[in-house]
Amino acid sequence: MSYTVFFQPADGWVGDLIPFQKDGEFWLYYLHEIRSDPKPGTSWNLVTTKDLTQFQDHGVALPHGTETDLDFNAYTGSVVVDEAGLHHLFYTGHNPNNLGPDKLPLQLVMHATSSDGMRTWVKHPGHTFGAPGGYESGDWRDPFVFRDEAAGQWRMLIAARHSAGPERRRGVIAQCVSTDLITWQYTDPFWDPRRYITHECPDVFAWGDWWYLVYSEFSETFTTRYRMAKSPDGPWTVPDQDSIDGRAFYASKSAERDGRRFFFGWIATKEGKHDGGAWQWAGTMSVLEARQNPDGTLGFGFADELVDSFWDEVSVSFDRALPARLEAPDGYAAAVSNEDLPAQFYAKAVLDIEPGTTECGLLLRSSPDGDHSYVLRLEPKRGRLVFDRWPRTITGDAQWHVSGDVPFALELERPCDLRPGKHTLEVVVDGDLCVAVVDRQVALSTRIYDLAAGRIGVFAGEGSAIADLEVRKRTDN
């Protein structure tokens, strides 16, 4: 049992998660990514947790097939339990050497069952099926199964692509239905916006009077989004803030416990383990809790269990007492701590933002003078949270040798309501991982490689804000 903030197996990385809640415990299946050459097949591994802070890694749960099997890669799917208590696992079978009629590597829906409480899975190759005519054979994946009680049937959603139409706008969530979880009939698509390459890892659930469709947008923007409706048949509407997190948090799927809904995804790594590297597939597991607003929209933030696990106060001092008024009507003001922070900590800043303020927020891993740091910047005039670094890139020794052609880290901004008044900015930092949350509504996750240590600070620019700050750590750190 490991006590951690973000789970990662010792021998690899966490890919797409398939969460299932069983008797109050989360069973978190995940695609086990191993980065080696030659690349092995992909299995489903399993980690369990009761409190979202202690994780037990059980290793391989659903092994991948051999180099000649259809499921050399066992990709994303879902788990359900039928009326008799039998557990059914549906997953994507993929083997790059098996091509479909359109010469694309086949993706197939495959089936396994467990009669011993999901500890041993028996595969049923005879239940395998692929895409029908009108769909590409190489995109038929991520089967998500849920029970439609009103219709008296099971519904399976599948990330798919039409075989005709604009190349990058063929994405569709296909649908099959069944009464016995064995024989599946093709039916009309579940959602067909004709907008993206495809819609990965679909997830559907009901919460109160609302139904929610969650999917990961596979396009030039890798983002997990959600839609709302009053029934599972739609019509689906777009909330004003429809994304779960930013670019780094992907393939998120959800599970419910005691009326609460948790989203499990992975924070991507970057090539070369540096801030300028390209995002990679898979990374480290992260958990966000969704909170349902009165209008049915969802806010995303830390689970209370995670925040409460940071109980040991970290003493930080500044050149002024907190709460401090940072006033810079036409300039910039900052207060930086006198101490470096540990590699793992939780911080909460309460910022009372006055009207007309352009920016304020937190400096992370800052130099003593605040001139080198990561920046969590609230921008009231633009209504967004931005993750940034100052300076962004050093290109030489002279003071003007900095990169100014990129305004901030691409895709690391989130829209949020920052009207004048008090706002809470929370952040968890753990090694090279950083997750920020505004008002328990808006989450932004990223990697922080290049600045390995430093201080914490508060700042304001072109305006005024009153800032208060608390920092906590875990006793074992």
Side-chain angles (χ1 to χ4, degrees):
M1 184 75 71
S2 61
Y3 184 58
T4 185
V5 179
F6 306 99
F7 171 78
Q8 181 182 319
D11 59 347
W13 303 92
V14 175
D16 300 354
L17 282 126
I18 304 95
F20 187 88
Q21 190 266 125
K22 180 178 175 66
D23 301 326
E25 183 175 47
F26 291 112
W27 289 49
L28 307 173
Y29 297 96
Y30 64 92
L31 304 190
H32 187 217
E33 167 74 349
I34 298 175
R35 294 171 182 167
S36 63
D37 189 16
K39 190 174 178 61
T42 302
S43 66
W44 280 30
N45 280 27
L46 172 66
V47 60
T48 56
T49 181
K50 293 181 179 179
D51 61 5
L52 303 174
T53 63
Q54 298 181 82
F55 297 88
Q56 185 171 359
D57 190 355
H58 301 271
V60 176
L62 180 76
H64 64 80
T66 68
E67 292 183 356
T68 60
D69 288 333
L70 295 174
D71 62 349
F72 173 69
N73 292 308
Y75 285 152
T76 308
S78 59
V79 176
V80 296
V81 58
D82 65 19
E83 296 86 345
L86 183 67
H87 290 84
H88 296 257
L89 184 157
F90 297 92
Y91 67 105
T92 306
H94 170 267
N95 189 319
N97 296 317
N98 293 325
L99 303 182
D102 48 11
K103 307 303 181 183
L104 298 171
L106 274 173
Q107 290 185 348
L108 304 163
V109 171
M110 305 189 77
H111 184 209
T113 56
S114 175
S115 57
D116 65 354
M118 304 194 302
R119 298 191 180 278
T120 304
W121 293 99
V122 177
K123 296 180 180 180
H124 303 287
H127 299 168
T128 300
F129 66 95
Y135 293 95
E136 292 184 357
S137 68
D139 281 277
W140 189 254
R141 63 178 179 275
D142 307 343
F144 176 82
V145 175
F146 72 101
R147 180 70 180 174
D148 186 340
E149 294 293 352
Q153 63 185 1
W154 296 92
R155 300 171 70 168
M156 177 186 290
L157 312 186
I158 302 166
R161 279 170 52 81
H162 293 290
S163 57
E167 175 65 24
R168 294 183 175 273
R169 297 188 184 276
R170 295 182 189 174
V172 56
I173 296 181
Q175 183 175 205
C176 297
V177 295
S178 174
T179 58
D180 60 5
L181 292 170
I182 296 174
T183 302
W184 293 91
Q185 302 295 324
Y186 304 110
T187 187
D188 294 336
F190 185 83
W191 191 53
D192 192 7
R194 296 277 185 157
R195 185 173 181 187
Y196 305 121
I197 295 173
T198 192
H199 316 92
E200 299 188 299
C201 303
D203 180 11
V204 168
F205 61 88
W207 192 354
D209 296 331
W210 291 94
W211 283 82
Y212 298 88
L213 164 64
V214 180
Y215 65 93
S216 289
E217 173 191 328
F218 183 26
S219 70
E220 74 283 355
T221 302
F222 289 85
T223 307
T224 304
R225 302 189 184 276
Y226 78 97
R227 298 291 183 262
M228 304 166 55
K230 286 294 187 176
S231 88
D233 296 313
W236 299 97
T237 60
V238 185
D240 289 343
Q241 299 177 20
D242 69 333
S243 52
I244 311 303
D245 199 309
R247 167 64 177 87
F249 183 79
Y250 194 67
S252 176
K253 300 181 75 171
S254 70
E256 180 269 344
R257 184 175 71 182
D258 299 329
R260 300 165 66 191
R261 175 76 46 176
F262 299 89
F263 280 69
F264 301 86
W266 45 266
I267 299 176
T269 52
K270 285 193 165 188
E271 289 183 5
K273 294 185 178 181
H274 68 88
D275 293 340
W279 294 109
Q280 297 173 301
W281 188 86
T284 309
M285 186 181 74
S286 183
V287 185
L288 295 172
E289 181 174 0
R291 292 172 174 85
Q292 191 178 50
N293 297 315
D295 63 356
T297 60
L298 301 179
F300 298 90
F302 297 121
D304 290 339
E305 293 87 339
L306 176 62
V307 173
D308 292 345
S309 70
F310 291 87
W311 56 75
D312 194 359
E313 182 179 355
V314 177
S315 179
V316 289
S317 61
F318 296 82
D319 62 1
R320 68 195 77 181
L322 296 181
R325 182 179 182 84
L326 302 170
E327 192 165 12
D330 189 22
Y332 177 86
V336 179
S337 69
N338 297 314
E339 305 87 4
D340 282 5
L341 264 60
Q344 182 192 85
F345 65 87
Y346 163 85
K348 181 171 75 172
V350 178
L351 299 158
D352 193 347
I353 306 173
E354 297 193 0
T357 299
T358 296
E359 63 180 21
C360 61
L362 281 175
L363 306 178
L364 302 176
R365 294 186 175 167
S366 174
S367 60
D369 61 1
D371 205 36
H372 289 74
S373 73
Y374 294 111
V375 183
L376 288 169
R377 188 170 62 245
L378 302 180
E379 299 182 353
K381 294 179 180 178
R382 297 183 175 94
R384 66 183 182 182
L385 162 69
V386 169
F387 177 83
D388 205 345
R389 187 181 73 171
W390 183 258
R392 292 174 187 124
T393 303
I394 301 296
T395 59
D397 296 330
Q399 65 186 23
W400 60 87
H401 289 164
V402 296
S403 174
D405 56 345
V406 176
F408 50 81
L410 293 178
E411 299 183 280
L412 292 182
E413 64 167 317
R414 298 295 319 285
C416 52
D417 183 354
L418 294 173
R419 66 190 66 185
K422 288 187 177 181
H423 295 273
T424 301
L425 174 57
E426 299 172 277
V427 60
V428 170
V429 171
D430 187 8
D432 60 20
L433 291 153
C434 174
V435 180
V437 172
V438 177
D439 295 334
R440 293 290 175 98
Q441 289 288 309
V442 176
L444 178 60
S445 304
T446 189
R447 293 278 175 173
I448 48 175
Y449 291 108
D450 294 357
L451 302 179
R455 307 183 182 192
I456 192 168
V458 291
F459 73 93
E462 297 175 355
S464 300
I466 299 173
D468 203 1
L469 178 69
E470 65 173 288
V471 182
R472 301 200 302 262
K473 66 177 182 178
R474 290 174 164 179
T475 301
D476 58 346
N477 287 284

